[in-house]
């Protein structure tokens, strides 16, 4: 399973950072000293672009293709499902 997650993380390298920022937005808006990514502050939150195909954010200069994200997510789901199914068969 670690290999499947590593492939996913490589396809979407900053997803963990994005999730953390969105989950703790108030910490980043108020630049709380306890936030995980201290290099991200209020100014960085205000600069980004969104289109029908991509999302980019000034905090990391990475552009995420929604199509590539969907493909990576689907692959991760199917890889984990295959691992689960294999474990179920071996346990039976």
């Amino acid at each position: 399973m670690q290999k499947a997650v590593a492939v996913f993380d490589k396809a979407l390298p900053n997803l963990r950072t994005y999730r953390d920022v969105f989950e703790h937005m108030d910490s980043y808006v108020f630049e709380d000293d306890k936030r995980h990514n201290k290099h991200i502050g209020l100014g960085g939150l205000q600069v980004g672009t969104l289109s029908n195909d991509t999302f980019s954010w000034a905090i990391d200069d990475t552009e995420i293709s929604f199509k590539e994200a969907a493909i990576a997510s689907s692959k991760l789901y199917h890889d984990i499902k295959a691992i689960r199914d294999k474990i179920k068969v071996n346990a039976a």
Side-chain angles (χ1 to χ4, degrees), residues 1 79-92:
M1 191 166 349
D79 288 348
I80 290 174
K81 185 177 180 306
I83 292 166
R84 183 204 64 189
D85 293 346
K86 186 175 180 180
I87 290 170
K88 279 184 172 181
V89 168
N90 290 339

Side-chain angles (χ1 to χ4, degrees), residues 12-69:
L12 301 166
N14 295 316
L15 194 58
R16 182 179 183 156
T17 300
Y18 293 169
R19 186 202 69 214
D20 183 64
V21 171
F22 288 132
E23 187 175 323
H24 304 284
M25 184 64 74
D26 56 331
S27 294
Y28 290 91
V29 168
F30 294 108
E31 298 181 343
D32 186 339
D33 288 336
K34 296 178 184 174
R35 67 190 188 276
H36 293 284
N37 303 286
K38 296 192 179 19
H39 69 283
I40 302 171
L42 179 59
L45 299 176
Q46 298 176 14
V47 183
T49 61
L50 181 67
S51 73
N52 289 334
D53 302 318
T54 61
F55 170 76
S56 64
W57 205 353
I59 64 173
D60 62 11
D61 296 327
T62 300
E63 184 174 87
I64 294 177
S65 160
F66 296 134
K67 181 178 180 179
E68 290 174 17

